[in-house]
Amino acid sequence: MFGSMQRGVNAYAKVGLETSVISASPHKLIVMLYDGALAAIKSAASHMAAGHISEKGAAISKALDIINNGLRASLDKKAGGDIASNLDSLYVYMTERLLTANLQNKLSLLDEVQALLVDLRDAWTQIGEKPVQAPSMSHYPVMASA
């Protein structure tokens, strides 16, 4: 009984996620990628602490996939210039730290990558909160009428 209920809940959650992805702006999709990577790292940390080796590896692999095939793949190095290039280097660094964390079972490396992702996510979220405004007439000099 509970198995079929759980499948129903999972199916409902999947539909909700798919709907969110379809209706999301490109900006929101990047936030969702950051959230997914952070959730995977949190899961990896829990599994690492509990000694669940295969689950830890799967969670780290998921984080790596999101970073490399989501965040890195979305970079436009031509349009983004130095910022995109620097982000690409940072994502490569995160990948290396996650691989080392997995091989050496180092929770501190997961924490380091998590902190970097939180900072990037927060900055990205703040960029999206600022509405684009048309230039105001108050920026132009006022001329006296005749």
Side-chain angles (χ1 to χ4, degrees):
M1 176 179 162
F2 291 111
S4 64
M5 181 184 283
Q6 185 62 41
R7 280 193 300 266
V9 169
N10 289 341
Y12 183 77
K14 184 178 179 186
V15 168
L17 177 62
E18 289 173 357
T19 302
S20 296
V21 169
I22 289 169
S23 64
S25 67
H27 185 273
K28 178 66 177 166
L29 289 173
I30 297 297
V31 172
M32 292 172 77
L33 287 170
Y34 282 125
D35 288 343
L38 287 165
I41 290 171
K42 183 177 179 182
S43 176
S46 295
H47 290 303
M48 185 182 286
H52 302 147
I53 303 302
S54 64
E55 293 89 346
K56 171 202 71 170
I60 289 175
S61 291
K62 183 175 181 180
L64 289 167
D65 189 38
I66 293 169
I67 290 169
N68 290 309
N69 298 320
L71 295 168
R72 278 189 77 201
S74 69
L75 293 174
D76 183 345
K77 293 180 187 170
K78 288 182 183 175
D82 288 343
I83 293 173
S85 180
N86 290 339
L87 275 173
D88 186 59
S89 296
L90 186 57
Y91 293 145
V92 169
Y93 175 79
M94 288 181 200
T95 297
E96 292 169 357
R97 300 306 273 176
L98 288 173
L99 290 171
T100 303
N102 192 27
L103 292 172
Q104 298 178 1
N105 251 7
K106 288 195 173 181
L107 190 59
S108 62
L109 298 181
L110 293 180
D111 292 341
E112 177 186 353
V113 174
Q114 182 176 10
L116 291 169
L117 286 170
V118 165
D119 287 346
L120 289 171
R121 185 203 182 281
D122 289 349
W124 193 255
T125 301
Q126 288 176 1
I127 290 169
E129 291 175 355
K130 295 181 179 162
V132 178
Q133 296 178 344
S136 169
M137 293 302 288
S138 64
H139 290 36
Y140 299 102
V142 177
M143 298 183 67
S145 58

